[in-house]
Amino acid sequence: MPSIDVKARQINCKLVYYGTGLGGKTTNLRHIHKKTNPKQRGKLVSLETESERTLFFDFFPMAAGKVMDFDLRFSFFTVPGQSFYNLTRRTILKDADGVVFVADSQVDREEANIDSMLNLEENLREHKVELAKFPHVVQYNKRDMEEVIAVEEMRRELNKYGAPDFEAIAVEGEGVFESLRAIVKQVTDRVKLQLQR
């Protein structure tokens, strides 16, 4: 649920980028951060290991205009891709308002993608959230690689609830803002419903 501060007329929403290790979550965030107006965004905080894998999470806040006279802000997080950081993943998912699932299109990452999606559902259930009813987007990243899984197959395996989905090459920025706009729209629509109650 978004945090609504009626006094300050501010709504804070949390978006989490979820997926396998080295699948492109951090690359998505870096691209968004780089292409966003510096006046609208905070600093990108990234905790990485020597091999450039995200150890805990990446994070940055961003102003996103107004919704019904409230200032709308988003905080972006990524989760570590490695499964042994599951407790960290679950903690980062707490109070999330939307998820972008970043799948690695390479053939040898198929099982890892499926495991990661199952893990996302399991961790959301720990927070009493059903993915089927939760704002989410699926991004099929690394479409420029040599051996990739067909999008139809990825969709069948990873998008069983018919969420908006996008092909992407995050290192080039392709599909990054399309994925972002789709998740922001879902979350913003939910916020509007909440404010109208």
Side-chain angles (χ1 to χ4, degrees), residues 7-146:
K7 217 172 178 179
R9 307 296 290 172
Q10 197 172 83
I11 300 166
N12 294 298
C13 300
K14 180 179 180 179
L15 297 181
V16 176
Y17 280 66
Y18 210 96
T20 64
L22 299 175
K25 302 178 297 295
T26 299
T27 306
N28 266 272
L29 252 62
R30 282 188 177 145
H31 184 76
I32 294 164
H33 191 264
K34 188 172 143 192
K35 296 291 182 183
T36 309
N37 182 340
K39 290 177 181 161
Q40 289 183 290
R41 60 164 162 77
K43 189 174 178 229
L44 175 64
V45 177
S46 195
L47 300 171
E48 295 178 340
T49 60
E50 284 176 25
S51 64
E52 281 204 35
R53 285 182 156 215
T54 303
L55 180 58
F56 290 109
F57 57 86
D58 302 304
F59 160 81
F60 77 94
M62 183 176 83
K66 286 194 180 290
V67 170
M68 297 171 79
D69 217 28
F70 282 79
D71 287 321
L72 183 63
R73 295 179 178 276
F74 284 95
S75 294
F76 295 83
F77 290 82
T78 65
V79 296
Q82 301 87 314
S83 56
F84 51 85
Y85 290 120
N86 193 47
L87 191 58
T88 306
R89 288 179 181 177
R90 191 176 303 153
T91 303
I92 291 169
L93 266 182
K94 187 175 177 3
D95 299 323
D97 298 297
V99 167
V100 176
F101 185 85
V102 182
D104 187 328
S105 295
Q106 295 177 97
V107 171
D108 64 350
R109 302 300 288 154
E110 188 169 12
E111 282 303 312
N113 286 326
I114 294 166
D115 288 348
S116 194
M117 179 57 84
L118 292 170
N119 177 257
L120 168 61
E121 291 209 63
E122 183 185 306
N123 281 335
L124 282 173
R125 275 195 298 271
E126 288 285 327
H127 297 302
K128 311 248 182 302
V129 173
E130 290 295 321
L131 184 61
K133 299 172 186 163
F134 188 69
H136 69 286
V137 165
V138 182
Q139 182 189 95
Y140 311 115
N141 191 27
K142 301 192 181 182
R143 297 309 298 169
D144 57 331
M145 301 308 265
E146 276 183 31

Side-chain angles (χ1 to χ4, degrees), residues 159-171:
N159 194 3
K160 52 186 177 182
Y161 305 115
D165 58 3
F166 303 90
E167 293 183 51
I169 305 169
V171 289

Side-chain angles (χ1 to χ4, degrees), residues 172-185:
E172 292 173 16
E174 276 185 41
V176 171
F177 277 97
E178 291 83 348
S179 304
L180 175 63
R181 279 191 285 272
I183 193 62
V184 164
K185 183 183 184 322

